[in-house]
Amino acid sequence: MSTNPKLTSIEDLNEMARQIRRDIINMLLISKSGHSGGPLGLADIFTALYFNKMKLDNENPNWDERDYFFLSIGHVAPVWYATLARRGYFSIDELKTLRKVNGRLQGHPAPSKTHGVPGVEIASGSLGQGVSIAAGTALGLKLSKKSNHVYCICGDGELQEGQIWEGIMTAAHHQCDNLTVIVDKNDCQIDNRVQQVLNMDSIPEKFRAFNWEVIEVNGNDMQSILDGIDKAKAAKEGKPTCIVAQTFMGKGVSFMEDKYTWHGVPPNNEQGKIALTELTKTKFGDFVELEL
Amino acid sequence: MSFNLDNPELKETRQGFADALMVLGKENPNIVVLGGDVSGSVKTNIFRDAFPDRFFSVGIAEQDMMGVAAGLAVTGKIPFASTYGEFATGRPFDQIRQSIAYSEMNVKICASHCGISVGPDGATHQSLEDVGIMRILPHMTVVTPCDYNQTYRAVLECAKYDKPFYIRFYRDKTPNYTDMNAPFEFGKADTLIDGSDVTLIANGLLVWEAIIAADKLKKEGISARVVNMHTIKPIDEETIVKCAEETGLIITCEDHQKNCGLYSAVAEVLSLRRPTQMDYIAVEDTFGESGTMEQLMAKYKINNEEIIRKVKKHLKK
């Protein structure tokens, strides 16, 4: 079973989330390309899922009893890669290869079958596709009478993609109660605040209108996330669940927090140095010591 | 091989798809089918009624259909996603590209109502670009069977491979003439009629037209070879080169835009391996319109008369 075991205390989970944030900064400093804001904002949710809530076996990523995870917003790949490496799916040393030629850490995730890393089931990057895929997997599991749970992370800006709502209808129609979609509501997208680009207010009401259960959590508070996932798994029979997670883009780095301008750019060395000072070192240790 | 040219058996290729799905459904519990509201038209309603648990209706939402199919494939199911050609390829192209082709998901996209055969429905429903946009995708196998029997066999056969397929067929009844027991292999063309003056490399609906053309040309002393290139990707390069060596002149015949379909695929092979005089029977970079299948095939010059005209033009007889 797992070589890197799950973490049970809130302190350990928070410390791992901080380490993952440090990893994200280090990865981006090396790659000099990639997204900062979204990955930092999602570190707590990824930590909660991979280090506490999901059934998984990092030694056997295709374990039949695993919970399935889909990342609909492929551009936040750095937080996923850092989490997978920290959980033992591959070496943390490989985090140095983000976006590098001949590497597996593609700018947007590729499945291990193509040329990506273990733990990635399917490609993502072109937005709006994850809910349909997760619904398909939920249906396949129900057909096989299996109890594995399916998780899918979407962005709030991503909800502007029409296919998302097609998938939402399909999951509700087919009563995918083994599916939990987590909406990363950071109110930011690459061009501006979501409200400015195309208003996505009332996300809980929208999901409820489509016959989903809705749970609202603070996506940067570990206890709130853990409780939300527990509630989702215990939610009403016959309905899929949406966790609307309020997060801050760039969480943990003062000058990035809640700033949409940090959606798609990496920090420079100077900014990276400040970020790594703010995100203090952890007991888990860095994968690299950069001269900044 | 002889053909009943005067009175061929007529059968729907889409029925071949439906009949094969029933066989697969009985054999393999992992076979699942996606419905996009047109299940009666594409005949997946037969599978639905027999195996209701394994039929998933997603409504009029082709992009979602491809995603759901990919998600089912993640769990080891073998999903068949079926709708009309244009809506099976053009509308969900990005979903097919990312979630099926790039991700190498075992999804079988089976498109009915392809090409000019949906006649009266008009240009919006006539998929004349589908082969091109599927052929360009890495990891995709693209097949255009020519009749009921071959559609049946292609659908049965594709389930044996753990990779994505695009299989294209038609609505209307068309001649059914291929031998159900002859060898059938993806990527291996069938030479239906031997000949030495010209090779007609055809697929789908146009194979029958090529057979008729070859018969008429024979009466005028022209020996036309007819090759059924049912698989456009991967294409049978060896047969194409061999035909070029043996007959010279190659004319491709398809009910698709002349760009990016069979003509392009054959030209890509010959330009590299054996430059040879070529011509094509295909839609001339234009959209279709309403009319019967026969009227449109005549108007858009994709029938046996046009094949004969082009052969004679090049052979100057």
Side-chain angles (χ1 to χ4, degrees), chain B residues 91-139:
Chain B
R91 179 126 191 165
F93 175 75
D94 182 43
Q95 286 75 12
I96 296 171
R97 178 178 180 271
Q98 175 169 292
S99 297
I100 296 174
Y102 179 44
S103 298
E104 295 186 71
M105 285 296 155
N106 188 15
V107 174
K108 318 302 183 189
I109 302 164
C110 292
S112 180
H113 295 50
C114 288
I116 210 89
S117 78
V118 291
D121 285 342
T124 56
H125 283 54
Q126 291 160 353
S127 61
L128 297 171
E129 301 80 22
D130 55 321
V131 169
I133 58 182
M134 289 296 104
R135 186 171 85 82
I136 202 168
L137 289 172
H139 303 155

Side-chain angles (χ1 to χ4, degrees), chain B residues 162-312:
Chain B
D162 181 10
K163 59 182 181 180
F165 270 76
Y166 176 65
I167 302 180
R168 168 192 222 248
F169 44 92
Y170 305 102
R171 178 182 62 188
D172 287 3
K173 284 184 177 175
T174 56
N176 186 35
Y177 51 92
T178 58
D179 183 350
M180 199 64 115
N181 300 309
F184 176 78
E185 201 184 319
F186 294 119
K188 191 86 195 88
D190 302 327
T191 301
L192 297 177
I193 297 173
D194 201 10
S196 54
D197 295 330
V198 54
T199 301
L200 306 173
I201 299 181
N203 67 19
L205 206 55
L206 267 290
V207 177
W208 184 249
E209 297 299 315
I211 292 169
I212 295 172
D215 183 69
K216 290 181 181 170
L217 286 164
K218 192 179 173 187
K219 288 166 187 155
E220 299 184 42
I222 296 172
S223 170
R225 183 179 298 185
V226 176
V227 172
N228 174 14
M229 192 64 70
H230 47 73
T231 310
I232 302 147
K233 184 179 186 175
I235 201 153
D236 185 349
E237 291 197 22
E238 300 314 314
T239 295
I240 294 169
V241 171
K242 186 165 177 279
C243 291
E245 281 167 359
E246 293 175 359
T247 72
L249 181 61
I250 302 269
I251 297 179
T252 58
C253 313
E254 65 195 307
D255 65 323
H256 185 270
Q257 300 287 0
K258 70 171 181 178
N259 299 317
C260 309
L262 180 64
Y263 172 49
S264 300
V266 172
E268 285 160 16
V269 173
L270 291 179
S271 64
L272 193 66
R273 296 192 51 186
R274 189 179 174 92
T276 302
Q277 182 165 23
M278 282 187 72
D279 206 337
Y280 60 87
I281 300 293
V283 176
E284 198 65 69
D285 195 21
T286 182
F287 291 106
E289 62 181 290
S290 289
T292 66
M293 184 167 80
E294 292 72 22
Q295 288 169 338
L296 295 172
M297 287 173 76
K299 179 164 180 178
Y300 290 89
K301 297 189 166 56
I302 46 172
N303 60 12
N304 67 80
E305 282 97 359
E306 188 63 14
I307 297 172
I308 293 166
R309 194 184 71 74
K310 287 220 167 164
V311 168
K312 286 184 177 170

Side-chain angles (χ1 to χ4, degrees), chain A residues 22 25 29 252-256 262 267-280 292:
Chain A
R22 288 184 63 84
I25 297 295
L29 286 169
V253 177
S254 58
F255 57 90
M256 293 186 188
W262 279 99
N268 61 26
N269 282 358
E270 205 173 315
Q271 292 162 332
K273 202 171 173 176
I274 301 168
L276 289 173
T277 309
E278 292 183 7
L279 297 163
T280 52
L292 298 170

Side-chain angles (χ1 to χ4, degrees), chain A residues 68 70 110-111 113-115 121-126 129 132-133 136-137 139-141 143-144 163 166-167 170 174, chain B residues 32 53-54 56-58 61-64 67-68 70-72 74-75 77 94-95 98-99 102-105 139 162:
Chain A
Y68 286 78
F70 297 100
K113 190 168 169 180
T114 302
H115 47 219
E121 309 273 0
I122 194 166
S124 64
S126 174
Q129 302 190 29
S132 303
I133 293 160
T137 293
L139 288 172
L141 291 167
L143 182 59
S144 300
Q163 186 194 349
E166 296 182 357
T170 293
H174 291 285
Chain B
V32 294
D53 292 350
R54 289 191 269 149
F56 301 105
S57 170
V58 297
E62 295 80 10
Q63 301 168 47
D64 183 51
V68 172
L72 282 158
V74 167
T75 66
K77 304 299 175 198
D94 182 43
Q95 286 75 12
Q98 175 169 292
S99 297
Y102 179 44
S103 298
E104 295 186 71
M105 285 296 155
H139 303 155
D162 181 10

Side-chain angles (χ1 to χ4, degrees), chain A residues 62 75 80 93-94 127-128 138 147 168 178 202 211 215 238 286:
Chain A
N62 297 324
H75 58 270
W80 199 7
D93 200 47
E94 193 171 343
L127 295 171
S147 62
I168 286 169
N178 52 348
S202 315
N211 213 19
I215 294 163
D286 290 326

